[in-house]
Amino acid sequence: MRDGAPDEVLAGSPVWWARVTSWLGGQILAAQIPIQSGRVTAKADREVIEELSLTVPRFAAPAPGDDAFDWRPGGDARHPLARFGQQLDVSIVVESVVTSQVWETRIGRYQVKSWDDDDEGTISVKAESLLARPRDDKMLTLVSPVGSLMTEARRLAPAGMGVSFDSALVDRPCPPAMSWSKNRLENLQEIANAWPALLRVDSWGQIRYRAPLPEIPNPVIRLKDGEGGTLISAPRADSRVGVPNVVVASTGNTSGADVQGVAALTSGPMSINGDYGVVTKEWSSSLLETEAQAEAAARNMLEAGSRPAQSVPVRLAPDPRVEIDDPISVARGDDPPLWGWVTAWDLPLTADGGDMRIDVGVSG
């Protein structure tokens, strides 16, 4: 959960707006981009997790009193919205209408992917989180590990991209006999799966390895409807597509002894002993050298796969504090509250942009 305005302010129709700045090579190109509309979306199982879309007027002054500026990049490689490495910083500013107190919540940093002039006076911009960098920056040769999970994660990251680790993660050596693929992002994800850990991107656009989520959520955000609440709706949905109840993790290293770990749901409606049947997911990695490592990886994948088995798509008043993996409770009327984790969110960047939408994955 990010820092930001408290629940009572967000529930009281505050004044709020997005601050979007443009950077290139550590230099600021625009301190404020005037946006007509925009959204930031995130999904835990998406390759680069977060994406940004903006609609900007073709001609507008960056700040009151300034001359009008042409926001169409054209062929200018240093234009604030060009796609030559420009990065957009996004923050949400919230002001209480009662006390005039102001909170600023940093959302993230995004690399411009494309822009489009619709010939109707607006420019549309698409951008991605900085996990696009290791996805695009393929290695030219195959290399083998020379250190631990932490040192290899840092070594595989693109130049200038930081990597941080949850203090609960315990480092261990990588087997030197294996080779990394040429896809940096696939390698970084393999490290996360084998550790096990969660590969994420922080609000500064840097790589972050988080510890696996606990079995039972301890909500840091409690959504409710009615007076003083920000919850608008929370319909229910359910699907077994892509939801295993057995995960088999094994070594991909043919030079050593076979190692395998199995995790299975043996109770509840998805039990392998019930009418749900058996749905198996297999995964292998040369980073797994012991049964304990394989079992931990299998268990983490099983929990991550079964968590969104029951999906609750929630609509609420925009709350910039919400982020992926937040433990959350959702209470509707007199129904017992649902507990789970945020698996996706969709945040409008303008006050008239509509509601925020999040997906809450629960295990029961």
Side-chain angles (χ1 to χ4, degrees):
M1 178 181 178
R2 303 181 179 99
D3 292 333
D7 292 345
E8 58 269 21
V9 172
L10 294 172
S13 300
V15 176
W16 67 280
W17 67 93
R19 176 177 287 123
V20 182
T21 61
S22 175
W23 295 80
L24 179 64
Q27 294 184 335
I28 191 167
L29 301 181
Q32 178 65 53
I33 297 173
I35 64 174
Q36 290 183 345
S37 62
R39 305 190 79 90
V40 182
T41 63
K43 195 171 183 181
D45 60 1
R46 194 160 59 193
E47 188 176 38
V48 297
I49 301 181
E50 296 182 21
E51 296 179 351
L52 167 69
S53 61
L54 297 174
T55 300
V56 180
R58 169 72 190 277
F59 296 100
D66 292 347
D67 294 334
F69 181 76
D70 187 352
W71 292 100
R72 184 176 69 179
D76 182 2
R78 293 189 60 80
H79 190 281
L81 299 180
R83 47 87 180 175
F84 298 104
Q86 279 80 344
Q87 296 177 4
L88 304 180
D89 266 353
V90 178
S91 297
I92 298 294
V93 180
V94 176
E95 180 180 351
S96 169
V97 296
V98 177
T99 66
S100 297
Q101 186 175 354
V102 175
W103 296 262
E104 183 166 348
T105 300
R106 184 180 178 84
I107 303 300
R109 175 168 283 200
Y110 307 92
Q111 179 175 284
V112 175
K113 180 180 180 181
S114 65
W115 61 269
D116 178 62
D117 181 0
D118 62 7
D119 278 338
E120 295 182 359
T122 58
I123 309 297
S124 298
V125 181
K126 302 289 186 183
E128 300 175 297
S129 79
L130 297 195
L131 282 181
R133 291 189 59 203
R135 179 201 63 195
D136 297 339
D137 185 3
K138 302 294 193 296
M139 294 192 294
L140 300 181
T141 59
L142 295 177
V143 298
S144 297
V146 295
S148 67
L149 295 177
M150 288 185 179
T151 59
E152 286 301 293
R154 292 191 180 101
R155 188 168 74 104
L156 291 167
M161 193 169 190
V163 185
S164 63
F165 307 92
D166 192 302
S167 60
L169 295 174
V170 179
D171 199 12
R172 68 171 188 260
C174 295
M178 66 174 287
S179 292
W180 296 116
S181 77
K182 292 185 179 181
N183 187 312
R184 295 178 189 271
L185 186 54
E186 286 183 1
N187 296 332
L188 293 170
Q189 185 61 63
E190 183 177 358
I191 289 174
N193 289 336
W195 207 324
L198 299 171
L199 176 63
R200 299 293 186 252
V201 60
D202 67 17
S203 62
W204 293 96
Q206 304 301 297
I207 295 168
R208 171 72 172 165
Y209 281 92
R210 290 180 177 172
L213 299 178
E215 184 176 351
I216 299 175
N218 181 18
V220 296
I221 298 176
R222 299 178 183 272
L223 298 178
K224 65 175 185 177
D225 56 11
E227 184 177 355
T230 59
L231 177 65
I232 296 172
S233 68
R236 299 293 292 270
D238 208 354
S239 172
R240 65 178 286 145
V241 176
V243 182
N245 57 3
V246 177
V247 174
V248 180
S250 59
T251 183
N253 186 356
T254 58
S255 64
D258 290 339
V259 171
Q260 179 173 284
V262 180
L265 295 176
T266 57
S267 61
M270 290 174 55
S271 169
I272 59 173
N273 302 313
D275 295 330
Y276 186 84
V278 178
V279 181
T280 304
K281 175 180 179 178
E282 295 181 308
W283 182 78
S284 65
S285 171
S286 297
L287 292 173
L288 302 176
E289 296 188 287
T290 68
E291 286 191 6
Q293 293 172 5
E295 289 173 359
R299 184 168 58 253
N300 186 62
M301 287 185 179
L302 179 66
E303 292 172 354
S306 61
R307 192 171 297 124
Q310 189 178 69
S311 175
V312 181
V314 176
R315 292 175 59 228
L316 67 154
D319 187 342
R321 302 172 303 170
V322 176
E323 59 182 337
I324 293 291
D325 302 326
D326 276 347
I328 192 168
S329 70
V330 180
R332 302 172 296 171
D334 296 328
D335 294 342
L338 300 170
W339 288 15
W341 288 267
V342 175
T343 60
W345 52 265
D346 181 339
L347 176 68
L349 296 182
T350 54
D352 59 354
D355 306 324
M356 184 177 187
R357 300 189 292 272
I358 64 174
D359 287 347
V360 178
V362 296
S363 56

